[in-house]
Amino acid sequence: MANTAKLKITLVKSLIGRLESHKACARGLGLKRMHQTVEVIDTPENRGMINKISYLLKCEA
């Protein structure tokens, strides 16, 4: 597992007024505030959360 692919994601839009499930996805990815960047492992679960709130994120490989 030394060669694990990671994704860099940044929250670029506010979570205020969003659906609770969308806020939960952001928290699940480790995003707490705007312009925060985190690295997550490229798994189907993380991809699903990223796809669900893609309109809030900027994603890099």
Side-chain angles (χ1 to χ4, degrees):
M1 213 167 115
N3 201 6
T4 314
K6 294 207 173 198
L7 298 170
K8 251 187 176 177
I9 54 173
T10 305
L11 187 64
V12 294
K13 288 192 176 184
S14 174
L15 293 173
I16 295 171
R18 306 295 176 192
L19 293 173
E20 281 303 317
S21 61
H22 291 201
K23 290 180 187 181
C25 284
R27 292 291 276 169
L29 290 167
L31 295 165
K32 297 178 183 178
R33 66 187 76 84
M34 282 186 56
H35 306 296
Q36 179 183 11
T37 302
V38 294
E39 278 194 0
V40 295
I41 298 170
D42 189 6
T43 62
E45 295 83 5
N46 286 340
R47 282 284 177 142
M49 288 192 281
I50 290 168
N51 287 338
K52 188 169 187 176
I53 60 169
S54 61
Y55 68 100
L56 299 172
L57 305 174
K58 183 177 82 171
C59 190
E60 302 167 25

